[in-house]
């Protein structure tokens, strides 16, 4: 299944940063609002405003409150993802533009890399993303963007606030994380379980402990074909390649690239102190030696 073209712009509303909200009496239970629509649901504290900016491509929910800098967004791609490769491609095409736009808003000059990834626990699952520190309207501020696959849908969780409003943001952020649910499709993909276990690691060439060169197929030599082959791989917790699929390059060279990738070995990837499966790409340059 082909991923629909997704062009998302993360709009950070620069709300007034002078916050003034009454505190609930000690021991009083906070009233809760519930959102549920199109298979997506979560709770959030009463007194906050939820704006539904959804489109045909995504569900886009924005939660905020007048007089506060806190902004929480839940953005869920509607189209179910069928393969781990699609998870990887979607994160490259969607997640990183979110992160880049947030970095610009905060005035962060150096963009984070996969090595800067943070994990966020949602029940039995872990979202992976980035935490950025900068300034909004001259106030020290923090922004976070996380991505996770739930119910075969790529979900982004965004949390932005001025640092002085952090105590206001904690209850709303925690409520959304603790109650977020995404219903799976009627006919789940055979790879559904893998999608929620794998984190994205970008280009993995530099992390390879062993990267045997590919053989040059006779068919490609006969056709005088050469070029770069990009192979998407999923690597297990010990650094062994579980799967390899060529995603670009001359057709006559792709199988050779996949075969070489299966023989590669990588350094284990750790997230939050534990080894994890990681998806990424390996590139092979096929250069024809003419005599």
């Amino acid at each position: 299944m082909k991923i629909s073209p997704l062009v998302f712009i993360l709009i950070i509303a620069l709300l007034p940063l002078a916050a003034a909200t009454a505190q609930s009496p000690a021991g009083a239970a906070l009233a809760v609002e519930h959102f549920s629509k199109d298979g997506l649901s979560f709770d959030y504290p009463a007194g906050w405003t939820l704006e539904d900016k959804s489109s045909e491509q995504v569900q886009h929910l924005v939660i905020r409150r007048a007089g506060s800098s806190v902004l929480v967004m839940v953005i869920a791609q509607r189209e179910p993802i069928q393969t781990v490769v699609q998870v990887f491609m979607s994160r490259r095409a969607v997640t990183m533009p979110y992160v880049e736009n947030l970095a610009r808003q905060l005035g962060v000059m150096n963009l984070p890399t996969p090595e800067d990834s943070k994990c966020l626990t949602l029940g039995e699952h872990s979202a992976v993303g980035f935490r950025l520190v900068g300034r909004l309207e001259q106030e020290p501020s923090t922004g976070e963007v996380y991505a996770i696959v739930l119910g075969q849908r790529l979900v982004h969780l965004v949390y932005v606030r001025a640092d002085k409003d952090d105590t206001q943001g904690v209850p709303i952020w925690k409520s959304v994380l603790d109650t977020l649910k995404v219903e799976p499709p009627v006919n789940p993909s055979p790879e559904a379980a893998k999608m929620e276990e794998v984190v994205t690691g970008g280009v993995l060439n530099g992390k390879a402990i062993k990267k045997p060169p590919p053989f040059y197929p006779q068919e490609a030599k006969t056709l005088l074909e050469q070029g770069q082959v990009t192979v998407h791989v999923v690597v297990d917790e010990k650094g062994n390649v579980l799967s390899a699929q060529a995603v670009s390059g001359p057709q006559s060279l792709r199988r050779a690239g996949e075969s070489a990738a299966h023989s590669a070995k990588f350094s284990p990837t750790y997230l939050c102190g534990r080894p994890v499966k990681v998806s990424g790409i390996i590139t092979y340059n096929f250069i024809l030696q003419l005599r």
Side-chain angles (χ1 to χ4, degrees), residues 227-242:
Q228 186 179 84
V229 173
T230 300
V231 182
H232 174 268
V233 296
V234 175
V235 180
D236 70 13
E237 294 87 344
K238 295 181 179 180
N240 300 310
V241 175
L242 293 175

Side-chain angles (χ1 to χ4, degrees), residues 206-246:
K207 299 178 182 178
I209 298 174
K210 181 179 70 173
K211 188 189 175 190
F215 68 92
Y216 213 120
Q218 185 58 48
E219 176 190 1
K221 292 181 179 179
T222 302
L223 296 173
L224 300 180
E225 287 194 333
Q226 60 182 350
Q228 186 179 84
V229 173
T230 300
V231 182
H232 174 268
V233 296
V234 175
V235 180
D236 70 13
E237 294 87 344
K238 295 181 179 180
N240 300 310
V241 175
L242 293 175
S243 65
Q245 179 180 342

Side-chain angles (χ1 to χ4, degrees), residues 65-96:
R65 182 168 60 186
S68 173
S69 66
V70 177
L71 177 73
V72 172
M73 295 198 294
V74 179
I75 309 163
Q77 180 177 316
R78 292 187 185 275
E79 184 177 8
I81 293 177
Q82 301 295 332
T83 68
V84 174
V85 174
Q86 286 182 325
V87 177
F88 174 75
M89 300 302 289
S90 291
R91 283 176 170 167
R92 290 186 67 191
V94 182
T95 306
M96 291 316 298

Side-chain angles (χ1 to χ4, degrees), residues 70 131 142 144 159 161-171:
V70 177
R131 188 173 187 272
T142 302
E144 300 176 52
Y159 178 30
R161 71 281 188 192
D163 293 351
K164 67 180 183 180
D165 291 345
D166 192 56
T167 54
Q168 296 180 34
V170 169

Side-chain angles (χ1 to χ4, degrees), residues 43-54:
D43 294 340
Y44 60 98
W48 292 77
T49 300
L50 186 146
E51 181 181 3
D52 192 337
K53 303 175 68 174
S54 300

Side-chain angles (χ1 to χ4, degrees), residues 233-275:
V233 296
V234 175
V235 180
D236 70 13
E237 294 87 344
K238 295 181 179 180
N240 300 310
V241 175
L242 293 175
S243 65
Q245 179 180 342
V247 293
S248 69
Q251 288 293 337
S252 62
L253 298 171
R254 291 191 178 192
R255 183 168 296 180
E258 292 173 347
S259 178
H262 274 292
S263 300
K265 175 79 174 180
F266 296 87
S267 300
T269 297
Y270 289 84
L271 185 63
C272 299
R274 64 183 180 89

